[in-house]
Amino acid sequence: MIPVKLTLRNFLSYGEDVPPLDFEQFHIACLSGNNGQGKSALLDAITWAIWGEGRKSSREKKADNSLIRIGQKDMQVEFVFDLEADRYRIIRTFSLGKKSSRSGLEFQVKNQTGDEYIPLTATSIRKTQEKITGVLKIDYQTFINSAFILQGRIDEFSRKNARERKEILSEILNLSRYDRLAN
């Protein structure tokens, strides 16, 4: 996966009129700056867009409530990336209502001959999430235990039990491929 563009609205420290982060402007990036300036928020935005996961307090099941900018009622992250010969776009939204909250997830692929995107969104968020994970061929747990170290959780992999570590390593090494070949 090659990041192309990240657009945020009311995500953590980023407010309404934040210019998109265009990854095509550079080949290598180093995020540096003082604490609280939004470096980790950019990485959280990418993981939230892709998997609906990001930093959260230990008593929260989902990260959504802790990711919305303080004082705001809705947030959105749009993440565009290239994978193999295709360009994809994920748009994830979250809104706080008076009695409940609402989440949205769109998954699209760019038309090879034009500038428009073709929807790949399924009938539910869960099914759309399965499509995204299927296209990327990696789930959130495998990602944070192999390619991305969460802030303050460098020991994520070692805290897993033996069965969970085996599953993660199997996923990283794509060992299920051999099971399919054997069948």
Side-chain angles (χ1 to χ4, degrees), residues 20 37 48 96 102 112 132 170:
Q37 291 189 322
W48 186 71
L96 288 171
R102 258 195 338 232
Q112 295 281 350
I132 294 168
S170 176

Side-chain angles (χ1 to χ4, degrees), residues 48-154:
W48 186 71
I50 297 171
W51 294 286
E53 296 282 350
R55 70 178 80 166
K56 59 187 168 196
S57 68
S58 58
R59 56 187 181 272
E60 286 183 303
K61 286 184 180 178
K62 292 191 53 71
D64 302 340
N65 288 334
S66 59
L67 297 174
I68 195 164
R69 184 176 169 90
I70 295 172
Q72 299 301 315
K73 298 292 182 200
D74 62 349
M75 68 177 166
Q76 177 176 309
V77 174
E78 177 183 323
F79 182 55
V80 178
F81 63 93
D82 290 341
L83 182 64
E84 297 169 356
D86 292 313
R87 177 158 290 180
Y88 295 92
R89 178 167 64 183
I90 300 170
I91 303 169
R92 192 175 294 266
T93 59
F94 177 75
S95 300
L96 288 171
K98 291 181 181 174
K99 295 182 181 179
S100 64
S101 59
R102 258 195 338 232
S103 298
L105 178 59
E106 295 177 42
F107 185 40
Q108 305 162 346
V109 64
K110 191 170 186 181
N111 185 334
Q112 295 281 350
T113 59
D115 280 341
E116 67 274 356
Y117 282 87
I118 301 165
L120 299 174
T121 306
T123 56
S124 69
I125 290 176
R126 184 183 56 77
K127 289 180 181 177
T128 303
Q129 185 61 60
E130 288 171 2
K131 278 188 172 187
I132 294 168
T133 302
V135 165
L136 289 173
K137 297 179 183 77
I138 189 169
D139 63 14
Y140 180 71
Q141 283 302 313
T142 305
F143 182 71
I144 65 169
N145 282 285
S146 62
F148 179 65
I149 298 172
L150 292 171
Q151 187 172 343
R153 290 170 54 184
I154 196 163

